[in-house]
Amino acid sequence: MEMYRNYKGKHVVVVGLARSGVGAANLLVRLGASVTVMDVKGPDELAHYISKLDPSVTIKLGRHNEEIIDTADTVVASPGVPSTIAIFNRARSKGIRVLGELELAYQVLEELRKTGAAGFMAITGTNGKSTTTTLLYEILIHSGFNAIIGGNIGKALTEEISKLVVDFERPREFVSPDFIVTEVSSFQLESAEKFKPKVAAILNVTPDHLDRHNTMDEYLDAKCRIFQNQDQMNFLVLNADDPLSPKIAAKVKPMGPEILYFSRKKIVRGAYYNKGIITFNIPELEVLTPELVVHEMPVFHTSNFKIKGLHNIENAMAASLMALVSGCSVADIYATLTTLKGLEHRLEFVEEVDGVKYFNDSKGTNIWSVVKSLEGFEDSIVLIAGGRDKAGDFSALKELVREKVKAVVLIGEAAGKIKEAVSGITEVHMASSMQDAVSRSQKIASYGDIVLLSPACASFDMFKDFEERGVVFKNSVMGLPGKRTASDEASAAPVGN
Protein backbone atom coordinates (compact mmCIF):
# COMPACT_ATOMS: atom_id res chain seq x y z
CA MET A 1 0.00 0.00 0.00
CA GLU A 2 1.00 3.62 -0.53
CA MET A 3 1.39 4.29 3.20
CA TYR A 4 4.17 1.69 3.34
CA ARG A 5 5.85 2.89 0.15
CA ASN A 6 5.94 6.44 1.50
CA TYR A 7 7.90 5.48 4.60
CA LYS A 8 9.44 2.00 4.29
CA GLY A 9 13.22 2.32 4.46
CA LYS A 10 13.02 6.14 4.72
CA HIS A 11 14.61 8.25 7.45
CA VAL A 12 11.96 10.26 9.29
CA VAL A 13 12.78 12.76 12.03
CA VAL A 14 10.11 13.54 14.63
CA VAL A 15 10.66 16.90 16.34
CA GLY A 16 9.13 17.11 19.81
CA LEU A 17 8.94 14.16 22.19
CA ALA A 18 5.69 14.17 24.13
CA ARG A 19 2.45 12.23 23.75
CA SER A 20 2.04 13.07 20.06
CA GLY A 21 5.74 12.62 19.33
CA VAL A 22 5.69 9.13 20.79
CA GLY A 23 2.58 8.25 18.80
CA ALA A 24 4.06 9.55 15.55
CA ALA A 25 7.40 7.80 16.07
CA ASN A 26 5.85 4.43 16.85
CA LEU A 27 3.44 4.69 13.91
CA LEU A 28 6.34 5.44 11.56
CA VAL A 29 8.26 2.44 12.87
CA ARG A 30 5.18 0.32 12.15
CA LEU A 31 5.24 1.69 8.59
CA GLY A 32 8.85 0.58 8.13
CA ALA A 33 10.66 3.90 8.60
CA SER A 34 13.99 4.50 10.31
CA VAL A 35 12.97 7.00 12.99
CA THR A 36 14.89 9.62 14.94
CA VAL A 37 13.24 11.71 17.65
CA MET A 38 14.76 14.99 18.80
CA ASP A 39 13.80 17.42 21.54
CA VAL A 40 15.43 20.43 23.21
CA LYS A 41 14.59 19.01 26.65
CA GLY A 42 16.79 16.55 28.51
CA PRO A 43 16.33 12.87 29.40
CA ASP A 44 15.13 13.52 32.96
CA GLU A 45 12.23 15.68 31.78
CA LEU A 46 11.28 13.21 29.05
CA ALA A 47 11.87 9.90 30.84
CA HIS A 48 8.14 9.04 30.88
CA TYR A 49 7.85 9.45 27.10
CA ILE A 50 11.16 7.78 26.30
CA SER A 51 9.94 4.63 28.05
CA LYS A 52 7.02 4.44 25.61
CA LEU A 53 9.10 4.62 22.41
CA ASP A 54 9.76 1.60 20.21
CA PRO A 55 13.30 0.33 21.00
CA SER A 56 14.39 0.93 17.39
CA VAL A 57 13.87 4.72 17.64
CA THR A 58 17.04 6.83 17.82
CA ILE A 59 16.78 9.56 20.47
CA LYS A 60 18.62 12.90 20.27
CA LEU A 61 17.99 15.32 23.13
CA GLY A 62 19.18 18.73 24.34
CA ARG A 63 19.01 20.60 21.03
CA HIS A 64 17.62 20.52 17.50
CA ASN A 65 20.36 18.90 15.45
CA GLU A 66 20.64 20.43 11.96
CA GLU A 67 22.92 17.67 10.70
CA ILE A 68 20.29 15.04 11.47
CA ILE A 69 17.56 17.12 9.84
CA ASP A 70 19.68 17.31 6.68
CA THR A 71 19.62 13.50 6.40
CA ALA A 72 15.84 13.19 6.71
CA ASP A 73 13.45 12.18 3.95
CA THR A 74 10.52 13.54 5.98
CA VAL A 75 10.25 15.64 9.15
CA VAL A 76 7.21 15.34 11.44
CA ALA A 77 6.36 18.22 13.79
CA SER A 78 4.70 17.49 17.12
CA PRO A 79 1.86 19.94 17.89
CA GLY A 80 3.74 21.56 20.76
CA VAL A 81 6.56 22.69 18.46
CA PRO A 82 5.80 25.82 16.36
CA SER A 83 5.86 25.03 12.65
CA THR A 84 7.77 28.27 11.95
CA ILE A 85 10.96 27.57 13.92
CA ALA A 86 14.33 27.53 12.20
CA ILE A 87 14.74 23.76 12.09
CA PHE A 88 11.58 23.35 9.99
CA ASN A 89 12.46 26.27 7.73
CA ARG A 90 15.83 24.63 7.13
CA ALA A 91 14.15 21.35 6.15
CA ARG A 92 11.78 23.10 3.75
CA SER A 93 14.63 25.05 2.15
CA LYS A 94 16.31 21.73 1.35
CA GLY A 95 13.15 20.28 -0.18
CA ILE A 96 12.47 17.96 2.76
CA ARG A 97 8.76 17.35 3.40
CA VAL A 98 7.53 18.66 6.78
CA LEU A 99 4.29 17.15 8.13
CA GLY A 100 2.30 17.78 11.29
CA GLU A 101 1.30 14.87 13.50
CA LEU A 102 -2.38 15.35 12.60
CA GLU A 103 -1.60 15.34 8.89
CA LEU A 104 0.49 12.17 9.26
CA ALA A 105 -2.41 10.40 10.98
CA TYR A 106 -4.88 11.61 8.37
CA GLN A 107 -2.79 10.56 5.37
CA VAL A 108 -2.26 7.07 6.79
CA LEU A 109 -5.96 6.78 7.54
CA GLU A 110 -6.80 7.79 3.98
CA GLU A 111 -4.91 4.71 2.81
CA LEU A 112 -6.77 2.53 5.29
CA ARG A 113 -10.07 4.01 4.10
CA LYS A 114 -9.53 2.24 0.79
CA THR A 115 -10.22 -0.92 2.77
CA GLY A 116 -13.37 0.54 4.30
CA ALA A 117 -11.98 2.44 7.28
CA ALA A 118 -13.80 5.59 8.38
CA GLY A 119 -13.31 9.31 7.96
CA PHE A 120 -12.87 11.98 10.59
CA MET A 121 -15.26 13.85 12.86
CA ALA A 122 -13.22 16.86 14.01
CA ILE A 123 -13.89 19.43 16.72
CA THR A 124 -11.95 22.61 17.44
CA GLY A 125 -12.56 25.87 19.29
CA THR A 126 -11.03 27.83 22.13
CA ASN A 127 -13.22 26.21 24.79
CA GLY A 128 -15.44 23.14 25.06
CA LYS A 129 -13.49 20.86 22.68
CA SER A 130 -12.88 17.99 25.08
CA THR A 131 -16.43 17.82 26.39
CA THR A 132 -17.97 18.03 22.91
CA THR A 133 -15.57 15.41 21.53
CA THR A 134 -16.39 13.04 24.38
CA LEU A 135 -20.14 13.62 24.01
CA LEU A 136 -20.00 12.90 20.28
CA TYR A 137 -17.92 9.76 20.81
CA GLU A 138 -20.31 8.44 23.48
CA ILE A 139 -23.35 9.19 21.30
CA LEU A 140 -21.82 7.26 18.40
CA ILE A 141 -21.00 4.29 20.65
CA HIS A 142 -24.51 4.35 22.15
CA SER A 143 -25.89 4.39 18.60
CA GLY A 144 -24.05 1.17 17.76
CA PHE A 145 -21.22 2.62 15.69
CA ASN A 146 -17.61 1.47 15.98
CA ALA A 147 -15.77 4.70 16.82
CA ILE A 148 -12.27 5.70 17.93
CA ILE A 149 -11.45 8.82 19.95
CA GLY A 150 -8.10 10.61 19.97
CA GLY A 151 -6.18 13.75 19.14
CA ASN A 152 -5.86 16.56 21.63
CA ILE A 153 -7.87 14.47 24.10
CA GLY A 154 -6.86 11.13 25.55
CA LYS A 155 -4.38 9.26 23.37
CA ALA A 156 -2.47 10.77 20.46
CA LEU A 157 -4.24 10.30 17.15
CA THR A 158 -1.15 8.65 15.64
CA GLU A 159 -1.20 6.13 18.47
CA GLU A 160 -4.78 5.17 17.65
CA ILE A 161 -4.03 4.99 13.92
CA SER A 162 -1.01 2.81 14.67
CA LYS A 163 -3.32 0.27 16.30
CA LEU A 164 -5.39 0.19 13.12
CA VAL A 165 -2.26 -0.45 11.07
CA VAL A 166 -1.32 -3.34 13.35
CA ASP A 167 -4.80 -4.82 13.04
CA PHE A 168 -4.78 -4.28 9.28
CA GLU A 169 -1.68 -6.48 9.08
CA ARG A 170 -3.75 -9.24 10.71
CA PRO A 171 -6.78 -9.37 8.36
CA ARG A 172 -8.78 -11.76 10.52
CA GLU A 173 -8.58 -9.26 13.42
CA PHE A 174 -9.07 -6.05 11.43
CA VAL A 175 -12.39 -4.32 12.13
CA SER A 176 -12.88 -1.08 10.25
CA PRO A 177 -14.10 1.76 12.49
CA ASP A 178 -17.10 3.76 11.37
CA PHE A 179 -15.77 7.05 12.72
CA ILE A 180 -12.58 8.64 14.05
CA VAL A 181 -13.64 11.32 16.54
CA THR A 182 -10.87 13.83 17.17
CA GLU A 183 -10.32 17.00 19.15
CA VAL A 184 -7.94 19.19 17.17
CA SER A 185 -6.07 22.24 18.42
CA SER A 186 -4.85 25.28 16.53
CA PHE A 187 -1.33 23.86 16.94
CA GLN A 188 -2.34 20.73 15.04
CA LEU A 189 -4.31 22.59 12.40
CA GLU A 190 -1.60 25.11 11.50
CA SER A 191 0.27 22.35 9.64
CA ALA A 192 -2.81 20.69 8.07
CA GLU A 193 -2.55 20.10 4.31
CA LYS A 194 -4.99 17.46 3.02
CA PHE A 195 -6.95 17.04 6.27
CA LYS A 196 -10.65 16.73 5.35
CA PRO A 197 -13.12 15.73 8.06
CA LYS A 198 -16.56 14.50 7.08
CA VAL A 199 -18.08 16.65 9.81
CA ALA A 200 -16.26 19.52 11.53
CA ALA A 201 -17.18 21.95 14.29
CA ILE A 202 -15.72 25.27 15.44
CA LEU A 203 -17.30 25.84 18.85
CA ASN A 204 -16.02 29.35 19.52
CA VAL A 205 -12.93 31.49 18.92
CA THR A 206 -11.68 33.86 21.61
CA PRO A 207 -8.13 35.13 22.29
CA ASP A 208 -5.82 32.27 23.26
CA HIS A 209 -2.31 31.02 22.46
CA LEU A 210 -1.33 34.48 21.22
CA ASP A 211 2.13 33.72 22.57
CA ARG A 212 2.34 31.27 19.65
CA HIS A 213 0.03 32.67 16.95
CA ASN A 214 0.97 36.36 17.55
CA THR A 215 -2.36 37.82 16.36
CA MET A 216 -6.04 36.91 16.48
CA ASP A 217 -6.10 36.75 12.68
CA GLU A 218 -3.36 34.09 12.72
CA TYR A 219 -5.19 32.17 15.43
CA LEU A 220 -8.49 32.34 13.52
CA ASP A 221 -6.82 31.28 10.29
CA ALA A 222 -5.39 28.21 12.05
CA LYS A 223 -8.85 27.23 13.34
CA CYS A 224 -10.40 27.69 9.88
CA ARG A 225 -7.98 25.17 8.36
CA ILE A 226 -10.32 22.52 9.78
CA PHE A 227 -12.69 23.06 6.82
CA GLN A 228 -10.29 24.23 4.10
CA ASN A 229 -10.62 20.94 2.16
CA GLN A 230 -14.27 20.15 2.88
CA ASP A 231 -16.76 19.98 0.02
CA GLN A 232 -20.54 19.87 -0.45
CA MET A 233 -20.73 16.32 0.90
CA ASN A 234 -19.40 17.50 4.27
CA PHE A 235 -20.85 19.47 7.19
CA LEU A 236 -19.52 22.36 9.29
CA VAL A 237 -21.11 23.21 12.66
CA LEU A 238 -20.71 26.80 13.94
CA ASN A 239 -21.77 28.79 17.00
CA ALA A 240 -24.22 31.47 15.86
CA ASP A 241 -23.63 33.40 19.10
CA ASP A 242 -19.88 33.72 18.56
CA PRO A 243 -19.05 37.21 17.19
CA LEU A 244 -16.48 35.69 14.84
CA SER A 245 -18.82 33.13 13.25
CA PRO A 246 -19.83 35.44 10.34
CA LYS A 247 -16.14 35.93 9.58
CA ILE A 248 -15.60 32.16 9.73
CA ALA A 249 -18.61 31.46 7.47
CA ALA A 250 -17.29 33.99 4.96
CA LYS A 251 -14.11 31.92 4.62
CA VAL A 252 -16.08 28.85 3.46
CA LYS A 253 -15.60 28.40 -0.28
CA PRO A 254 -18.66 28.40 -2.61
CA MET A 255 -18.57 24.62 -3.10
CA GLY A 256 -17.68 24.03 0.55
CA PRO A 257 -19.48 22.24 3.38
CA GLU A 258 -23.09 22.72 4.42
CA ILE A 259 -23.19 24.91 7.54
CA LEU A 260 -25.39 24.17 10.55
CA TYR A 261 -25.56 26.48 13.56
CA PHE A 262 -26.30 26.20 17.27
CA SER A 263 -27.43 29.08 19.46
CA ARG A 264 -28.57 29.97 22.96
CA LYS A 265 -29.98 33.31 21.81
CA LYS A 266 -31.94 32.91 18.58
CA ILE A 267 -33.67 30.51 16.21
CA VAL A 268 -31.20 29.09 13.69
CA ARG A 269 -30.99 26.35 11.11
CA GLY A 270 -29.53 23.61 13.26
CA ALA A 271 -30.18 23.63 17.03
CA TYR A 272 -31.25 26.38 19.41
CA TYR A 273 -31.91 26.69 23.14
CA ASN A 274 -34.68 28.55 24.93
CA LYS A 275 -36.04 28.24 28.47
CA GLY A 276 -34.64 24.81 29.21
CA ILE A 277 -35.39 23.26 25.82
CA ILE A 278 -33.15 22.49 22.83
CA THR A 279 -35.01 22.44 19.54
CA PHE A 280 -33.59 20.92 16.35
CA ASN A 281 -34.53 22.89 13.28
CA ILE A 282 -33.39 20.72 10.39
CA PRO A 283 -36.26 20.17 7.93
CA GLU A 284 -34.50 17.27 6.21
CA LEU A 285 -34.02 15.41 9.51
CA GLU A 286 -36.21 12.56 8.25
CA VAL A 287 -33.75 12.04 5.41
CA LEU A 288 -30.73 12.14 7.71
CA THR A 289 -32.32 9.68 10.15
CA PRO A 290 -34.72 7.65 7.97
CA GLU A 291 -35.67 5.29 10.79
CA LEU A 292 -37.45 8.23 12.47
CA VAL A 293 -40.76 9.66 11.42
CA VAL A 294 -40.57 13.26 12.58
CA HIS A 295 -43.90 15.10 12.41
CA GLU A 296 -42.57 18.13 14.28
CA MET A 297 -39.18 19.43 15.32
CA PRO A 298 -37.73 17.21 18.10
CA VAL A 299 -36.83 18.84 21.42
CA PHE A 300 -34.56 17.96 24.35
CA HIS A 301 -35.39 19.01 27.92
CA THR A 302 -32.00 20.00 29.36
CA SER A 303 -33.16 19.57 32.97
CA ASN A 304 -32.63 15.84 32.40
CA PHE A 305 -29.00 16.25 31.25
CA LYS A 306 -26.26 15.01 33.58
CA ILE A 307 -23.85 17.68 32.37
CA LYS A 308 -24.73 21.11 33.73
CA GLY A 309 -24.02 24.74 32.88
CA LEU A 310 -24.79 27.02 29.94
CA HIS A 311 -21.50 26.20 28.25
CA ASN A 312 -22.38 22.49 28.30
CA ILE A 313 -25.73 23.22 26.64
CA GLU A 314 -23.71 24.66 23.74
CA ASN A 315 -21.44 21.59 23.75
CA ALA A 316 -24.47 19.28 23.75
CA MET A 317 -26.04 21.09 20.80
CA ALA A 318 -22.82 20.90 18.76
CA ALA A 319 -22.29 17.20 19.49
CA SER A 320 -25.95 16.43 18.75
CA LEU A 321 -25.84 18.16 15.37
CA MET A 322 -22.68 16.27 14.40
CA ALA A 323 -24.28 13.01 15.49
CA LEU A 324 -27.54 13.69 13.62
CA VAL A 325 -25.82 14.27 10.29
CA SER A 326 -23.80 11.10 10.86
CA GLY A 327 -26.87 8.90 11.11
CA CYS A 328 -27.55 8.78 14.87
CA SER A 329 -31.18 8.84 15.98
CA VAL A 330 -32.65 11.56 18.16
CA ALA A 331 -33.52 8.88 20.74
CA ASP A 332 -29.92 7.63 21.03
CA ILE A 333 -28.56 11.17 21.30
CA TYR A 334 -30.99 12.10 24.07
CA ALA A 335 -30.32 8.85 25.94
CA THR A 336 -26.59 9.63 25.97
CA LEU A 337 -27.02 13.21 27.14
CA THR A 338 -29.24 12.11 30.02
CA THR A 339 -26.75 9.52 31.29
CA LEU A 340 -23.25 10.89 30.58
CA LYS A 341 -21.64 12.94 33.33
CA GLY A 342 -19.11 15.72 32.79
CA LEU A 343 -15.36 15.31 32.39
CA GLU A 344 -12.69 15.46 35.03
CA HIS A 345 -11.13 18.92 35.45
CA ARG A 346 -14.01 20.61 33.56
CA LEU A 347 -16.19 22.29 36.20
CA GLU A 348 -15.93 19.10 38.20
CA PHE A 349 -17.62 19.10 41.60
CA VAL A 350 -15.08 17.95 44.19
CA GLU A 351 -16.57 18.16 47.66
CA GLU A 352 -18.66 20.26 50.05
CA VAL A 353 -16.87 21.25 53.25
CA ASP A 354 -18.62 23.31 55.95
CA GLY A 355 -21.28 24.31 53.46
CA VAL A 356 -18.77 25.53 50.84
CA LYS A 357 -18.76 23.76 47.47
CA TYR A 358 -15.40 23.24 45.70
CA PHE A 359 -15.17 22.96 41.90
CA ASN A 360 -12.17 21.88 39.81
CA ASP A 361 -11.99 23.68 36.44
CA SER A 362 -8.26 23.16 35.89
CA LYS A 363 -8.95 22.85 32.15
CA GLY A 364 -9.82 26.57 32.21
CA THR A 365 -6.45 27.52 30.74
CA ASN A 366 -7.54 30.76 29.06
CA ILE A 367 -9.50 33.84 30.04
CA TRP A 368 -12.63 33.09 28.04
CA SER A 369 -12.92 29.61 29.51
CA VAL A 370 -12.98 31.25 32.94
CA VAL A 371 -15.67 33.67 31.72
CA LYS A 372 -17.82 30.69 30.69
CA SER A 373 -17.28 29.04 34.08
CA LEU A 374 -18.10 32.17 36.10
CA GLU A 375 -21.26 32.69 34.04
CA GLY A 376 -22.49 29.30 35.26
CA PHE A 377 -22.66 30.38 38.91
CA GLU A 378 -24.82 32.94 40.66
CA ASP A 379 -22.32 34.81 42.85
CA SER A 380 -20.20 34.62 46.04
CA ILE A 381 -17.27 32.86 44.39
CA VAL A 382 -13.74 32.54 45.70
CA LEU A 383 -11.70 32.19 42.52
CA ILE A 384 -8.31 30.50 42.46
CA ALA A 385 -6.42 31.61 39.35
CA GLY A 386 -2.92 31.98 37.94
CA GLY A 387 -0.16 29.99 36.31
CA ARG A 388 1.84 30.61 33.17
CA ASP A 389 0.51 33.54 31.14
CA LYS A 390 -0.48 32.89 27.51
CA ALA A 391 -0.39 36.57 26.54
CA GLY A 392 -3.91 37.01 27.90
CA ASP A 393 -5.76 40.23 28.62
CA PHE A 394 -6.97 39.63 32.17
CA SER A 395 -8.90 42.91 32.20
CA ALA A 396 -11.58 40.97 30.27
CA LEU A 397 -12.45 39.29 33.60
CA LYS A 398 -13.20 42.57 35.41
CA GLU A 399 -16.96 42.74 34.87
CA LEU A 400 -17.67 39.20 36.00
CA VAL A 401 -15.20 39.40 38.88
CA ARG A 402 -16.92 42.57 40.10
CA GLU A 403 -20.34 40.93 39.76
CA LYS A 404 -19.69 37.44 41.13
CA VAL A 405 -16.30 37.03 42.83
CA LYS A 406 -15.91 37.92 46.51
CA ALA A 407 -12.16 37.18 46.49
CA VAL A 408 -9.39 36.06 44.15
CA VAL A 409 -6.54 33.84 45.34
CA LEU A 410 -3.60 33.95 42.95
CA ILE A 411 -0.77 31.51 42.25
CA GLY A 412 2.03 31.10 39.72
CA GLU A 413 3.96 33.32 37.35
CA ALA A 414 0.95 35.37 36.21
CA ALA A 415 -0.22 36.21 39.73
CA GLY A 416 1.15 39.76 39.60
CA LYS A 417 -0.36 40.50 36.21
CA ILE A 418 -3.80 39.22 37.26
CA LYS A 419 -3.58 41.18 40.54
CA GLU A 420 -2.96 44.36 38.57
CA ALA A 421 -6.05 43.67 36.43
CA VAL A 422 -8.53 42.96 39.27
CA SER A 423 -7.21 45.01 42.20
CA GLY A 424 -9.75 47.46 43.53
CA ILE A 425 -12.81 45.48 42.46
CA THR A 426 -12.48 42.49 44.81
CA GLU A 427 -10.24 41.11 47.52
CA VAL A 428 -6.92 39.79 46.21
CA HIS A 429 -4.80 37.24 48.07
CA MET A 430 -1.43 35.82 46.98
CA ALA A 431 -0.61 32.14 47.61
CA SER A 432 2.67 30.25 47.35
CA SER A 433 1.26 26.91 46.23
CA MET A 434 -1.99 25.16 45.36
CA GLN A 435 -2.26 23.79 48.88
CA ASP A 436 -1.78 27.31 50.26
CA ALA A 437 -4.40 28.67 47.84
CA VAL A 438 -6.98 26.08 48.92
CA SER A 439 -6.26 26.73 52.60
CA ARG A 440 -6.60 30.50 52.15
CA SER A 441 -9.81 30.01 50.16
CA GLN A 442 -11.36 28.00 52.98
CA LYS A 443 -10.63 30.83 55.43
CA ILE A 444 -12.20 33.39 53.07
CA ALA A 445 -15.31 31.42 52.05
CA SER A 446 -18.53 31.38 54.05
CA TYR A 447 -21.42 28.92 54.17
CA GLY A 448 -23.09 28.77 50.73
CA ASP A 449 -20.06 30.10 48.84
CA ILE A 450 -18.28 28.48 45.91
CA VAL A 451 -14.52 27.92 45.69
CA LEU A 452 -13.61 27.61 42.02
CA LEU A 453 -10.24 26.67 40.57
CA SER A 454 -10.33 28.19 37.07
CA PRO A 455 -6.78 29.37 36.40
CA ALA A 456 -7.03 31.35 33.10
CA CYS A 457 -3.43 30.24 32.52
CA ALA A 458 -1.32 27.29 31.47
CA SER A 459 -0.02 25.00 34.20
CA PHE A 460 3.60 24.48 33.20
CA ASP A 461 5.16 26.88 35.70
CA MET A 462 4.13 24.66 38.63
CA PHE A 463 2.76 21.40 37.22
CA LYS A 464 3.33 18.83 34.50
CA ASP A 465 -0.05 19.63 32.92
CA PHE A 466 -3.56 20.79 33.77
CA GLU A 467 -4.50 17.27 34.89
CA GLU A 468 -1.82 17.25 37.58
CA ARG A 469 -2.89 20.74 38.67
CA GLY A 470 -6.47 19.52 39.02
CA VAL A 471 -5.44 16.45 40.99
CA VAL A 472 -3.36 18.55 43.40
CA PHE A 473 -6.34 20.88 43.87
CA LYS A 474 -8.70 17.98 44.57
CA ASN A 475 -6.29 16.35 47.00
CA SER A 476 -5.87 19.68 48.79
CA VAL A 477 -9.64 20.07 49.11
CA MET A 478 -10.06 16.54 50.39
CA GLY A 479 -7.39 17.25 53.01
CA LEU A 480 -9.20 20.27 54.44
CA PRO A 481 -10.55 20.08 57.99
CA GLY A 482 -14.29 20.48 58.42
CA LYS A 483 -17.67 18.80 58.08
CA ARG A 484 -18.32 16.95 54.83
CA THR A 485 -21.79 17.07 53.28
CA ALA A 486 -23.20 14.33 51.08
CA SER A 487 -24.05 16.34 47.98
CA ASP A 488 -25.73 15.22 44.81
CA GLU A 489 -23.48 16.13 41.89
CA ALA A 490 -26.31 17.54 39.83
CA SER A 491 -27.60 19.81 42.58
CA ALA A 492 -24.08 21.03 43.30
CA ALA A 493 -23.39 21.93 39.69
CA PRO A 494 -23.73 25.42 38.20
CA VAL A 495 -26.99 26.92 37.06
CA GLY A 496 -27.94 27.03 33.42
CA ASN A 497 -30.91 24.86 32.69
Side-chain angles (χ1 to χ4, degrees):
M1 292 180 68
E2 187 69 24
M3 63 182 181
Y4 291 102
R5 290 195 295 272
N6 285 341
Y7 299 105
K8 190 172 182 61
K10 302 293 180 65
H11 181 209
V12 183
V13 177
V14 177
V15 180
L17 178 56
R19 185 164 52 94
S20 295
V22 170
N26 290 343
L27 171 59
L28 289 161
V29 168
R30 171 58 56 185
L31 296 176
S34 170
V35 181
T36 300
V37 169
M38 63 171 64
D39 199 296
V40 295
K41 294 179 180 179
D44 292 341
E45 293 177 273
L46 298 171
H48 171 74
Y49 299 111
I50 291 171
S51 68
K52 295 179 179 297
L53 285 170
D54 186 279
S56 68
V57 174
T58 301
I59 303 168
K60 299 291 182 181
L61 303 178
R63 69 185 181 96
H64 289 156
N65 190 307
E66 293 182 349
E67 291 78 15
I68 293 175
I69 287 290
D70 291 347
T71 67
D73 295 296
T74 299
V75 175
V76 174
S78 294
V81 184
S83 61
T84 56
I85 63 172
I87 202 75
F88 296 136
N89 292 334
R90 180 185 179 92
R92 294 185 188 101
S93 71
K94 294 180 173 292
I96 299 169
R97 184 173 62 152
V98 178
L99 286 178
E101 183 258 352
L102 173 67
E103 188 66 24
L104 171 65
Y106 177 77
Q107 291 189 14
V108 172
L109 181 71
E110 280 298 281
E111 289 298 315
L112 290 175
R113 283 185 65 191
K114 295 175 182 178
T115 68
F120 276 83
M121 312 277 282
I123 295 133
T124 194
T126 305
N127 300 303
K129 298 186 296 294
S130 296
T131 298
T132 305
T133 303
T134 302
L135 285 174
L136 176 58
Y137 170 75
E138 293 293 342
I139 291 168
L140 291 167
I141 294 298
H142 188 92
S143 300
F145 290 109
N146 178 16
I148 290 172
I149 188 171
N152 204 41
I153 181 175
K155 295 180 179 179
L157 198 54
T158 41
E159 181 179 348
E160 293 300 324
I161 301 300
S162 184
K163 294 175 184 176
L164 291 180
V165 172
V166 172
D167 288 345
F168 177 77
E169 293 169 343
R170 300 189 292 243
R172 291 183 181 179
E173 300 178 25
F174 181 69
V175 178
S176 173
D178 299 303
F179 297 104
I180 307 289
V181 184
T182 179
E183 173 190 332
V184 291
S185 69
S186 59
F187 295 174
Q188 292 169 304
L189 287 167
E190 68 183 12
S191 57
E193 296 174 9
K194 299 178 181 179
F195 183 62
K196 182 184 177 182
K198 288 184 175 181
V199 186
I202 302 179
L203 304 178
N204 45 65
V205 182
T206 55
D208 195 19
H209 300 302
L210 299 187
D211 51 339
R212 166 125 166 203
H213 294 294
N214 299 315
T215 68
M216 268 300 292
D217 283 341
E218 284 188 21
Y219 181 50
L220 181 63
D221 286 344
K223 291 295 189 187
C224 288
R225 292 177 76 90
I226 198 170
F227 61 77
Q228 67 180 350
N229 296 314
Q230 285 190 304
D231 58 34
Q232 290 175 301
M233 299 301 292
N234 306 134
F235 289 89
L236 174 63
V237 175
L238 297 178
N239 183 349
D241 303 334
D242 192 308
L244 287 175
S245 279
K247 191 171 183 179
I248 294 170
K251 291 176 179 286
V252 176
K253 61 190 179 182
M255 302 297 285
E258 181 173 350
I259 301 177
L260 297 174
Y261 290 93
F262 62 91
S263 175
R264 288 195 288 115
K265 300 178 180 179
K266 56 191 174 185
I267 297 174
V268 294
R269 171 171 156 73
Y272 59 90
Y273 170 81
N274 184 40
K275 296 180 180 179
I277 293 175
I278 294 173
T279 301
F280 293 95
N281 181 23
I282 309 176
E284 66 273 32
L285 190 61
E286 290 185 56
V287 177
L288 296 173
T289 55
E291 75 280 9
L292 283 174
V293 178
V294 181
H295 298 293
E296 56 186 50
M297 292 184 292
V299 298
F300 288 175
H301 294 274
T302 60
S303 58
N304 296 323
F305 288 4
K306 289 293 185 182
I307 54 172
K308 302 294 178 179
L310 291 172
H311 63 297
N312 275 327
I313 290 172
E314 294 179 346
N315 298 335
M317 286 192 288
S320 298
L321 286 172
M322 296 181 78
L324 280 172
V325 300
S326 302
C328 297
S329 72
V330 171
D332 283 332
I333 295 170
Y334 189 63
T336 304
L337 294 175
T338 54
T339 56
L340 183 68
K341 294 182 178 180
L343 302 182
E344 188 178 16
H345 310 302
R346 281 86 167 171
L347 271 183
E348 173 194 10
F349 174 69
V350 179
E351 198 165 30
E352 183 175 337
V353 183
D354 292 335
V356 176
K357 296 183 177 72
Y358 292 78
F359 284 86
N360 167 30
D361 191 38
S362 183
K363 187 64 167 66
T365 59
N366 61 72
I367 293 160
W368 297 103
S369 177
V370 179
V371 167
K372 291 278 189 183
S373 297
L374 291 175
E375 286 177 342
F377 295 94
E378 294 289 355
D379 54 24
S380 203
I381 300 166
V382 178
L383 175 66
I384 300 175
R388 177 157 292 169
D389 184 20
K390 296 159 69 178
D393 178 10
F394 296 105
S395 65
L397 293 171
K398 278 186 175 181
E399 184 178 344
L400 276 171
V401 167
R402 182 182 290 110
E403 178 186 346
K404 298 192 173 194
V405 177
K406 69 182 290 184
V408 176
V409 181
L410 299 173
I411 59 174
E413 294 174 353
K417 185 176 177 181
I418 301 174
K419 180 180 179 181
E420 185 178 336
V422 301
S423 287
I425 60 175
T426 192
E427 291 181 29
V428 178
H429 302 261
M430 308 296 281
S432 59
S433 65
M434 183 63 77
Q435 293 88 342
D436 184 31
V438 171
S439 178
R440 288 174 184 268
S441 297
Q442 185 184 38
K443 293 173 184 175
I444 297 164
S446 304
Y447 187 92
D449 287 352
I450 298 292
V451 173
L452 170 66
L453 168 66
S454 195
C457 295
S459 59
F460 305 120
D461 57 335
M462 299 172 67
F463 305 97
K464 181 179 71 175
D465 49 33
F466 76 85
E467 288 102 334
E468 183 183 54
R469 177 169 61 189
V471 169
V472 172
F473 171 75
K474 291 195 290 184
N475 288 341
S476 299
V477 170
M478 291 174 183
L480 289 173
K483 181 181 178 182
R484 264 61 183 173
T485 303
S487 179
D488 178 74
E489 186 172 355
S491 65
V495 299
N497 52 335

